[in-house]
Amino acid sequence: MVDRRYDDKIMKKRSLAGSVAIGFVLLTFILIAVSFSTPSWLVSDYRITGARLDRFGLWTHCFRSLPDPVDINQRRFFVGCRWIYDPFTTGYDQIRGFLVPAFLVATQFFFTVCFIAALLSAILTLLYFLCCGPDIKHYVTLIKLNAWILLVGGLAGGIAVVVFACEANKDNWMPGHDNNFFGWSFALACIGAVAALVASTLFFVEGYVQQRKRKQLKDSQMRFEMEHEKI
């Protein structure tokens, strides 16, 4: 007869790769969510007293004193933090084309994909950690689906940060570009994209391990049936 302890060993719930992947998914979600919602992708040097930009995010912009780029007489200035689609501030909608150029739209799109992927992955990882085990029919499918979602999210996040890094601090956009630098929100976005790719790799490894375990268990059961037939 087949040793049941051998079967239990084969169908151990998670490998080391799967356990580490859970930690990376948690790290990925926290980093991506914080960077997605905070306005410190591009910041001005706080030591510069005359800087017009304070800090700049994907959805919220903060200015110390930004002159209206469409007002040639420089009679209107924008001060403080505002949502990028603020409908209440007079003239803000008129400079939206300046505030949201094509590269920022691309950054918003790809990082939104990254955020959605991180959210979906967090949900799937909770199912993987709390509800599902190797005895579930689609256990391996769940792991591989999570791996693919994280891969898409990591690649999308990588594209977003590369586009932003290449275009955000050029001298033809935000004023005072010589005194502007990439802030901590941007740094978290970079780390989050890398963490997503690492988590994806770990889940691909976990999927392969669990698939092999299922094959070993199937072979074990077949040997048991053959031995039983001989008896």
Side-chain angles (χ1 to χ4, degrees), residues 12 14-24 128-129 202-203 206:
K12 182 181 177 183
R14 288 189 302 274
S15 69
L16 177 61
S19 298
V20 176
I22 293 172
F24 269 95
Y128 165 75
F129 178 67
L202 290 170
F203 270 123
E206 171 71 353

Side-chain angles (χ1 to χ4, degrees), residues 36-56:
F36 183 77
S37 57
T38 51
S40 293
W41 282 58
L42 186 69
V43 299
S44 177
D45 190 337
Y46 68 93
R47 296 170 297 181
I48 307 299
T49 56
R52 297 176 177 180
L53 173 69
D54 185 10
R55 58 189 186 275
F56 195 98

